[in-house]
Amino acid sequence: MIRLVADSSCDVYTLPGVDFRAVPLHISTDDGRAFIDDPELNVGEMVDCLHSYRGRSYTACPSVAAWLEAFEGADTVYVVTITSGLSGSYNSAKVAADLYQQASPEASVHVFDSLSTGPEEFLLLEKLRELVNAGLEFEEVIRQAEDYMRHTRLFFSLHSLHNLAQNGRIGKVTAAAVSVMNIRVIGTASPEGTLATIGKARGDKRAEAVILEQMQEAGYQGGKVRITHVQNEGVAQDLAARLRGHYPDADISVAVSGGLCSYYAEKGSLLIGLETK
């Protein structure tokens, strides 16, 4: 049995056409509230709750045991995690993969560090589904998937950096300035899997224009685009419509961000995963 497994930063909990498991990350607050990033999570309620919360909040990656449970019963497992530059999820999955193969020497497990999150991670899962369903051998799936990762990108527009700052992902002074000045921070996932700021814009319309410019500079020419948002569907749909105006045949979809990405990206954000030439 072949199975795809990812942590919940991929923003999907089901993947039609393949055996798939999503392993949840956890979001918690100092006053004891806990949110499990699974299909039962009401992401909107979580975002609203944390937006008004004045204490500290934080995240936890899946445990080794949680990964092992997701692998159970599969002979071949392809695993995709959020970038190791921001989370311990990749390391936890690697430990689980080693333990699983020790217990089942005939099993094959490969863990991909997506060096990204959200919609770019989802693009890799879609590619893995395509390769698996084409009947390719284990090593060939890995080779083609790793090549594909060199031809995808992630861009994002963030209205707040509060949760990134309080978890040490970005400077607190920078985060405070963005909030006060009503600026959208435009960024990307770096080749090393960290967050890299590449521009700023006042308002969503200007942010859209900057993102479109960045997509073209990155080599976008009409491939897949996966857009997710946190309580900002109008702007996400507008960006999708503008892209379709330039690339009528492009495969473009819009969805709501899952729990983990909604936590870090916060209200008003857009995340864009895309294929480049």
Side-chain angles (χ1 to χ4, degrees):
M1 178 190 299
I2 301 174
R3 181 175 297 155
L4 304 189
V5 180
D7 61 41
S8 59
S9 68
C10 66
D11 286 335
V12 294
Y13 308 103
T14 61
L15 192 63
V18 69
D19 184 0
F20 173 71
R21 307 283 173 87
V23 185
L25 290 103
H26 296 246
I27 301 102
S28 304
T29 64
D30 276 344
D31 66 355
R33 280 176 280 191
F35 305 92
I36 302 173
D37 189 9
D38 64 13
E40 304 304 314
L41 177 64
N42 186 317
V43 175
E45 286 185 4
M46 182 200 75
V47 170
D48 290 339
C49 173
L50 294 175
H51 185 69
S52 61
Y53 179 61
R54 293 295 171 260
R56 181 175 175 271
S57 57
Y58 46 92
T59 62
C61 69
S63 66
V64 172
W67 285 114
L68 286 171
E69 183 178 354
F71 301 165
E72 189 62 38
D75 304 309
T76 302
V77 187
Y78 301 99
V79 187
V80 180
T81 77
I82 186 174
T83 172
S84 60
L86 295 177
S87 170
S89 187
Y90 173 76
N91 290 334
S92 180
K94 284 285 289 181
V95 171
D98 290 343
L99 291 174
Y100 191 71
Q101 289 177 299
Q102 289 172 22
S104 304
E106 73 285 355
S108 299
V109 184
H110 184 80
V111 183
F112 294 91
D113 180 352
S114 73
L115 300 174
S116 189
T117 190
E120 189 179 11
E121 195 175 335
F122 179 50
L123 283 173
L124 177 56
L125 285 170
E126 289 188 305
K127 186 64 176 181
L128 285 167
R129 176 177 61 185
E130 174 191 320
L131 298 172
V132 165
N133 288 339
L136 300 182
E137 295 295 324
F138 182 71
E139 296 298 336
E140 183 62 15
V141 169
I142 294 170
R143 188 191 69 78
Q144 291 199 30
E146 288 179 341
D147 179 68
Y148 180 74
M149 291 171 65
R150 291 188 281 271
H151 299 278
T152 61
R153 290 289 299 275
L154 176 76
F155 292 104
F156 54 81
S157 170
L158 306 182
H159 184 52
S160 172
L161 303 177
H162 172 74
N163 289 340
L164 285 168
Q166 74 169 349
N167 284 274
R169 306 303 197 260
I170 201 164
K172 292 185 178 180
V173 173
T174 301
V178 167
S179 177
V180 170
M181 298 176 68
N182 195 32
I183 289 173
R184 307 298 188 268
V185 173
I186 314 301
T188 188
S190 74
E192 298 76 30
T194 58
L195 300 182
T197 300
I198 55 178
K200 296 177 182 177
R202 286 191 180 275
D204 285 324
K205 289 295 184 182
R206 180 55 190 154
E208 279 186 58
V210 174
I211 288 170
L212 287 169
E213 291 170 4
Q214 291 295 328
M215 290 176 64
Q216 291 174 340
E217 287 183 16
Y220 179 72
Q221 295 184 8
K224 284 184 179 180
V225 179
R226 299 291 178 255
I227 303 170
T228 63
H229 68 90
V230 183
Q231 298 183 2
N232 202 5
E233 183 170 7
V235 174
Q237 293 289 359
D238 187 61
L239 176 61
R242 292 177 69 174
L243 283 166
R244 292 188 185 105
H246 292 290
Y247 306 99
D249 298 325
D251 179 356
I252 302 169
S253 67
V254 175
V256 176
S257 293
L260 191 282
C261 287
S262 293
Y263 170 75
Y264 278 117
E266 301 188 63
K267 278 188 175 184
S269 65
L270 296 181
L271 292 90
I272 304 97
L274 59 138
E275 295 178 335
T276 61
K277 187 172 181 181

